[in-house]
Amino acid sequence: MAGLPGMWVRSLCGVLAVAFIGFLTPATSQGAEKSVAADNSVVVSNYAKSKNTTQANGLPQGWKLRIWQGEPDIKVLTENGKNILRLRSKVASISIYKDVELDLQKFPHLKWRWKVTQLPKNADARINNKDDQAAGVYVVFPRFPSMINSQLLAYVWETSAPVGTVLRNRRNPMVHYIVVRSGKGRLNQWITEERNVREDYRKVFGEEPPMVGGISLLIDTDDTRSQAESFFSKIEFRKRAHVRLTPPANRLVKSLIPAMLIPTIGSPE
């Protein structure tokens, strides 16, 4: 890109940012499946096998597919009598998205279960050409115009960046990563995580969050030209925390997000 006029470079970066948001936040369709709400929680996960033969590569009912690069490899499996979702990536970048409308003042705590069996080789979210993750849970906050103004908090399982790291996506400044897990220490194990999304949003963006509009699950190995595999089980928003844990020390990429500290609350099984 060297030698291009500054205006061209800025325009190209803007196009990439718009495309990235569109990749994670497809337009809401009428008749979208409603999340299951109970007194104390809103359940997001539904990994029912699709009856619609046009759904690509095993995409579960109620979810939409977005392909950034490569071929999707998605499958609904059964484990201990319950459906789970498997994502695989071979030099690919894909997400699946589900519409979820809720108020974080009522349901501030996000709880989910995941398992990673293979990490992208030498990936590191702090380095632009190595920004791949085996698993990410993205909370989407649509704002008009949604294609360029929506905000996303991404809870990711990193290969290299330490747990507690908070940084802004270099391609899209509206996406902020929070590293919940890192490295191979807990591979092949189901882990339950929990985050206070309202508090995370306030500390990242400096204001009260708008309504949540959706959840994306992402797997990404295109930058490192490698492979990854991850699994997802139950995902829900809760009124109250399920567990109370002392968070580990925070780490911060100060060059990207100055003066912001976000506690990490991970709850192993």
Side-chain angles (χ1 to χ4, degrees):
M1 200 178 295
L4 286 176
M7 183 175 67
W8 291 11
V9 174
R10 289 191 296 271
S11 298
L12 179 57
C13 291
V15 169
L16 290 174
V18 168
F20 187 78
I21 292 178
F23 162 55
L24 290 171
T25 59
T28 302
S29 60
Q30 291 185 350
E33 181 180 346
K34 298 296 183 181
S35 299
V36 179
D39 288 341
N40 294 314
S41 69
V42 175
V43 178
V44 176
S45 55
N46 170 40
Y47 307 128
K49 295 181 181 179
S50 177
K51 297 178 182 178
N52 184 352
T53 57
T54 64
Q55 291 280 61
N57 285 37
L59 191 69
Q61 292 178 2
W63 294 80
K64 306 177 185 72
L65 174 66
R66 287 295 180 266
I67 303 173
W68 187 253
Q69 182 172 312
E71 294 295 328
D73 188 346
I74 303 165
K75 191 171 184 179
V76 176
L77 305 172
T78 301
E79 184 176 291
N80 297 325
K82 295 182 179 180
N83 285 351
I84 61 173
L85 182 71
R86 187 199 70 198
L87 300 180
R88 285 178 175 170
S89 175
K90 184 177 181 181
V91 193
S93 180
I94 65 103
S95 76
I96 68 170
Y97 177 91
K98 187 175 183 182
D99 297 305
V100 181
E101 296 182 5
L102 62 84
D103 186 347
L104 287 177
Q105 293 192 36
K106 297 179 180 178
F107 298 95
H109 299 277
L110 175 62
K111 181 183 177 184
W112 74 96
R113 283 169 54 77
W114 59 0
K115 175 174 68 173
V116 168
T117 57
Q118 185 175 10
L119 292 165
K121 187 176 181 180
N122 298 322
D124 193 329
R126 299 166 295 183
I127 302 173
N128 191 42
N129 63 354
K130 294 185 177 182
D131 185 6
D132 288 336
Q133 289 85 39
V137 179
Y138 286 64
V139 184
V140 182
F141 301 90
R143 300 195 312 175
F144 181 83
S146 62
M147 286 294 289
I148 61 174
N149 204 30
S150 293
Q151 298 168 317
L152 298 96
L153 281 181
Y155 300 105
V156 298
W157 190 315
E158 250 288 303
T159 300
S160 303
V163 171
T165 299
V166 181
L167 67 156
R168 189 164 50 205
N169 181 281
R170 293 174 182 269
R171 296 186 181 98
N172 177 12
M174 303 305 285
V175 178
H176 290 74
Y177 295 135
I178 300 175
V179 180
V180 178
R181 295 281 161 184
S182 183
K184 299 179 179 180
R186 298 293 301 274
L187 288 186
N188 303 303
Q189 299 178 40
W190 280 107
I191 302 174
T192 300
E193 312 283 9
E194 193 164 309
R195 298 292 307 195
N196 187 324
V197 182
R198 182 185 179 193
E199 290 301 316
D200 285 347
Y201 183 97
R202 290 166 67 183
K203 290 172 181 175
V204 168
F205 295 106
E207 59 187 15
E208 283 292 334
M211 293 284 289
V212 170
I215 288 286
S216 279
L217 305 179
L218 182 136
I219 188 168
D220 185 19
T221 64
D222 57 337
D223 286 338
T224 56
R225 312 291 295 175
S226 62
Q227 301 181 46
E229 182 181 61
S230 55
F231 298 79
F232 294 87
S233 183
K234 189 173 184 179
I235 302 172
E236 62 181 328
F237 285 90
R238 299 177 60 88
K239 286 185 177 180
R240 291 175 291 276
H242 185 256
V243 294
R244 185 179 298 276
L245 297 175
T246 302
N250 295 283
R251 297 177 177 88
L252 186 66
V253 180
K254 294 183 179 180
S255 62
L256 298 180
I257 307 179
M260 294 179 183
L261 293 177
I262 296 185
T264 299
I265 305 175
S267 55
E269 291 180 302

